[in-house]
Amino acid sequence: MGSLQSDALDNVAATAGAAYPVSPLDPEEFRRQGHMVIDFLADYYHDVHKYPVRSQVEPGYLRKRLPDTAPNGPEPLEAILGDITHDIIPGITHWMSPSYFAYFPSSGSTAGFLGEMLSTGINVVGFNWMSSPAATELENIVMDWLAKMLKLPSCFHFSGGGGGVLQGTTCEGILCSLVAARDRALDRLGRDQIARLVVYGSDQTHCSIQKAAQIAGIHPDNFRAVPTTRADAFSLNPSALRAAIDKDIARGLVPLFLCATVGTTSSTAIDPLEGLCKVAKDYEHMWVHVDAAYAGAACICPEFRHAIDGVEMADSFSFNAHKWFLTNLDCCCMWVREPGALVRALSTNPEYLRNKGTESKKVVDYKDWQVALSRRFRSMKLWLVLRSYGVANLRNFLRGHVKMAKDFEDHVSADPRFEVVVPRTFAMVCFRLLSPPGLVAEGSTERANELNRRLLEAVNASGRAYVTHAVVGGVYMIRFAVGATLTEVRHVAEAWRVVKEHATDLLASCRSSDSAGPLVDRA
């Protein structure tokens, strides 16, 4: 090696030694900085109610605040935490705020956070049993615990031939189920028959089913969003499903997959599982997946368990523990009655992954139950949640939110300016502001909808609460979803005050500006 090259390498080594710590995982430094981050988060949770719930920044704000390039040398954690406070926090919509009532909740907890911290700290990549036996076996156990809490039939338990797996999200779970159903069908029909396969949901089914169908290679024309009606509370009617299937069969198509929903995103409607599963069973080999992403958690309460009656006839079932079960994102709990269908569709067995555990046929290799190879130790945080709170307290947590939602519903019903648009089933209230006679032209649904769009934006712009909307049956309605971990009765009462105040101001403004005629749309 020449002297110039040697000197250059020495300079690089010296620079690296000066710029970077000797150990990126020094235990004592980890302890010191870890305490700082915990203190930072504890203060955040203590003060989160003080922030505007919905971020008020404009697109592109952060690029104006941060440097164009990464730092060449290390920066102290104190400085980084300061930048989080000044630059990142303003761009956060605070899902942990007690005044967060938008979308569906993302309910974290001390146990969920600490479980996530343990999982991240141990940092295993548990793609098969051999890569970390405890990660796989704890997941087996926790999923059976949950199955018993939900009173799922034995066919979904490992002891009954089925089993559970922790996916990242419902989108992943639905995709895995659909791919398993697709391959099972094509093994029977022939691989060249994929263009005949049809996937069914309702016009209220989450959009993840349509994305899954696209990824799985289902022809775009072969996705059916069966219309729902107000008469059925926007649930999927079994007769409507049968009519759609029969029409497809008459055209030479093959019914493949039905996604039924317990707790739809728009209105928490409950599809009648028993009736839908009976229809599906009349068409041999049709796979039924039950998506209970939001409402599945509530079904650990005996008074809500009826919502999943009929699940015993389904092929797979899932709910998101990261929505309403005190488990930090991400954690989707999914069960299948025939794990072999997942394994056949998703398994790969390269030489470098061969091991005695897999060859024994006595273990689960979860890489074959999901899309990715690598996987996180999600069961750790779910285990901590179940052990730290117990079934009784988890039920009471859920019931508390349902009671708060009922209180809000009572407020809406008692104010003649408002109406509850669809029946409340769990902890979400769908409501709208009614238009006083003469303010909105008779029969003008769109103009009435515009009134509620303005109300929604006014509430959210205030920063005192955050709600979102949905449109069902052509009616624009405001969704008020109770479920944030820190929410108490007083926060629900305050949110109602915010809604009333802005409704009063909006109606007064409309009367003033439209005194010469009905409300017209404005930008």
Side-chain angles (χ1 to χ4, degrees), residues 105-109 112-113 115-117 119-120 139 143 146 165-173 293 319-334 370 372 374-383 385:
S106 180
S107 60
S109 66
F113 174 84
E116 181 72 31
M117 187 164 65
S119 171
T120 301
E139 189 160 335
M143 293 305 288
L146 273 172
V165 56
L166 293 174
Q167 306 280 3
T169 66
T170 292
C171 301
E172 297 169 43
F319 86 92
N320 287 346
H322 61 246
K323 274 190 167 62
W324 197 20
F325 206 67
L326 293 176
T327 306
N328 295 48
L329 193 74
D330 55 8
C331 189
C332 171
C333 306
M334 173 180 160
Q370 63 176 32
S374 300
R375 66 194 324 269
R376 301 173 62 243
F377 194 175
R378 294 187 183 96
S379 58
M380 175 67 80
K381 62 184 170 187
L382 194 52
W383 188 50
V385 167

Side-chain angles (χ1 to χ4, degrees), residues 236-476:
L236 178 54
N237 187 296
S239 296
L241 173 64
R242 185 183 297 277
I245 294 174
D246 287 343
K247 184 177 179 180
D248 285 330
I249 290 175
R251 296 169 55 203
L253 301 177
V254 178
L256 170 70
F257 188 93
L258 166 66
C259 183
T261 308
V262 176
T264 59
T265 301
S266 293
S267 65
T268 67
I270 301 172
D271 289 343
L273 301 187
E274 185 172 356
L276 295 172
C277 287
K278 285 180 178 178
V279 170
K281 295 310 176 188
D282 287 343
Y283 305 92
E284 193 176 4
H285 307 299
M286 191 173 182
W287 186 296
V288 178
H289 177 78
V290 177
D291 170 16
Y294 160 68
C299 295
I300 70 167
C301 301
E303 64 268 31
F304 294 117
R305 173 56 178 77
H306 65 87
I308 58 171
D309 284 352
V311 70
E312 64 275 4
M313 292 186 282
D315 297 277
S316 51
F317 171 84
S318 64
F319 86 92
N320 287 346
H322 61 246
K323 274 190 167 62
W324 197 20
F325 206 67
L326 293 176
T327 306
N328 295 48
L329 193 74
D330 55 8
C331 189
C332 171
C333 306
M334 173 180 160
W335 291 265
V336 290
R337 69 163 59 239
E338 187 188 347
L342 283 181
V343 172
R344 286 189 292 275
L346 299 168
S347 176
T348 55
N349 293 292
E351 179 61 35
Y352 53 79
L353 291 182
R354 293 185 183 277
N355 63 86
K356 290 182 179 179
T358 298
E359 292 169 2
S360 74
K361 306 295 183 183
K362 296 180 180 178
V363 301
V364 172
D365 286 342
Y366 274 125
K367 71 180 180 62
D368 301 330
W369 294 45
Q370 63 176 32
V371 174
L373 173 65
S374 300
R375 66 194 324 269
R376 301 173 62 243
F377 194 175
R378 294 187 183 96
S379 58
M380 175 67 80
K381 62 184 170 187
L382 194 52
W383 188 50
L384 257 71
V385 167
L386 294 175
R387 292 191 62 188
S388 297
Y389 304 123
V391 177
N393 282 325
L394 288 167
R395 286 173 175 161
N396 288 336
F397 167 76
L398 296 162
R399 287 166 176 153
H401 285 150
V402 173
K403 174 62 169 60
M404 285 186 262
K406 186 180 184 306
D407 290 345
F408 188 87
E409 180 185 40
D410 290 343
H411 290 316
V412 173
S413 299
D415 191 323
R417 300 176 300 171
F418 294 87
E419 74 167 351
V420 176
V421 179
V422 295
R424 180 189 57 79
T425 49
F426 299 102
M428 187 174 83
V429 181
C430 298
F431 70 101
R432 67 171 180 159
L433 177 64
L434 296 172
S435 302
L439 182 59
V440 175
E442 185 177 354
S444 178
T445 300
E446 178 51 38
R447 291 179 177 178
N449 288 348
E450 176 63 19
L451 186 68
N452 282 276
R453 289 190 190 98
R454 294 189 205 175
L455 175 59
L456 178 93
E457 181 52 35
V459 169
N460 292 339
S462 75
R464 295 162 62 193
Y466 185 30
V467 290
T468 48
H469 78 281
V471 177
V472 293
V475 173
Y476 183 103

Side-chain angles (χ1 to χ4, degrees), residues 78-102:
E78 292 85 347
I80 298 170
L81 291 176
D83 288 345
I84 292 174
T85 298
H86 297 118
D87 298 328
I88 303 300
I89 292 295
I92 295 293
T93 289
H94 299 281
W95 289 64
M96 294 299 293
S97 169
S99 298
Y100 183 96
F101 304 104

